[in-house]
Amino acid sequence: MSQPEKLYEGKAKILYATDNPEILLTVYKDDATAFNAQKRGQIKGKGQINCQITAALFTWLGLMDIPTHYIDTPEPNQMRVKAVTIIPIEVVVRNIAAGSLCRQTGLPEGKVLPSALVEYYYKSDELGDPLLTRDRIFLMNIITSQRLEEIENMARKINKNLQSFFDKCDITLVDFKLEFGLDAQQNLLLADEISPDTCRLWDKNDVDPQSRVMDKDRFRKDLGQVEAAYQQVQQRVLAQLKNS
Ligand code: UDP
């Protein structure tokens, strides 16, 4: 293959073109950022770990009839994906109150929500990823109400499947962020990644509010043992995929 063309470099991944215009190559990096990139660092081995976790979860969701952009992992930190146009909305699903939900509503961290909350944020570093309302989404002409309904239904289905998967890993799925894309035929596909960078994951057998944390909050809040927590998630997820 000729020298691959770099299409985009994000905070955690680099996207390359391949010889096939329908396929892109994502390289996962060890770089970590938080608070809209105001905090920066490296988590050793994170690129490989997040790539492997995402591959396992997308494989599992594919088996559950959820279409994803995932194709395969030619190298431990590289993922081949179907080319899609990313919809500029971050879809956050919450089962338990944490993070910005607590900061913005005063709900106590750890409160189990009566039903899953689905929220939409505008993917814009410049604007600081603001929370969107349905009306703002339509006002901004981002997507139609039909497409939004399709996204919400898919996000809820993904949540149900991921909750039961992580439960079998002895991990509580607190909240997570999803991104969706459209392929050339305008089919909706789950895209981007699902990893400890994009989920809050708590060890089910640990009630201590600090030591139970198995996700990027360890980096955000300087809790230490970041690599070990990510490795533990990887081990449990890969073992569970094998068993299922
Ligand atoms: N999240 C993400 N990328 C973002 C913002 C949030 O992956 O740009 C994830 C985050 O890791 C958490 C969930 O979405 O699992 C909800 O994040 P929240 O709105 O609570 O924001 P935070 O507290 O991280 O600022």
Side-chain angles (χ1 to χ4, degrees), residues 75-88:
E75 296 290 335
N77 70 331
Q78 295 184 5
M79 181 175 290
R80 294 196 317 144
V81 298
K82 292 179 199 156
V84 293
T85 307
I86 294 285
I87 297 170

Side-chain angles (χ1 to χ4, degrees), residues 87 89 137-138 140-145 147-148 151 182:
I87 297 170
I89 292 181
I137 291 173
F138 306 141
M140 295 160 75
N141 269 322
I142 304 175
I143 40 170
T144 64
S145 63
R147 190 64 89 182
L148 188 60
I151 288 175
L182 298 174

Side-chain angles (χ1 to χ4, degrees), residues 12-13 26 28 46-62 68-73 76-81 162 165-166 177-178 190-199 230 233-234 237-238 241:
K13 300 189 286 293
T26 309
Y28 283 65
K46 176 171 85 75
Q48 291 196 11
I49 293 173
N50 280 357
C51 182
Q52 296 303 311
I53 292 173
T54 299
L57 295 175
F58 279 18
T59 300
W60 162 254
L61 291 171
T68 81
H69 73 158
Y70 171 68
I71 301 173
D72 59 14
T73 52
N77 70 331
Q78 295 184 5
M79 181 175 290
R80 294 196 317 144
V81 298
L162 283 184
F165 185 93
F166 276 116
K177 185 263 303 180
L178 300 173
L190 175 62
D192 196 47
E193 67 178 287
I194 303 180
S195 73
D197 269 9
T198 64
C199 302
Y230 276 57
V233 174
Q234 180 186 15
V237 164
L238 294 190
L241 183 67

Side-chain angles (χ1 to χ4, degrees), residues 42 82-83 106 149 163:
Q42 286 239 325
K82 292 179 199 156
E149 197 177 323
Q163 257 190 320

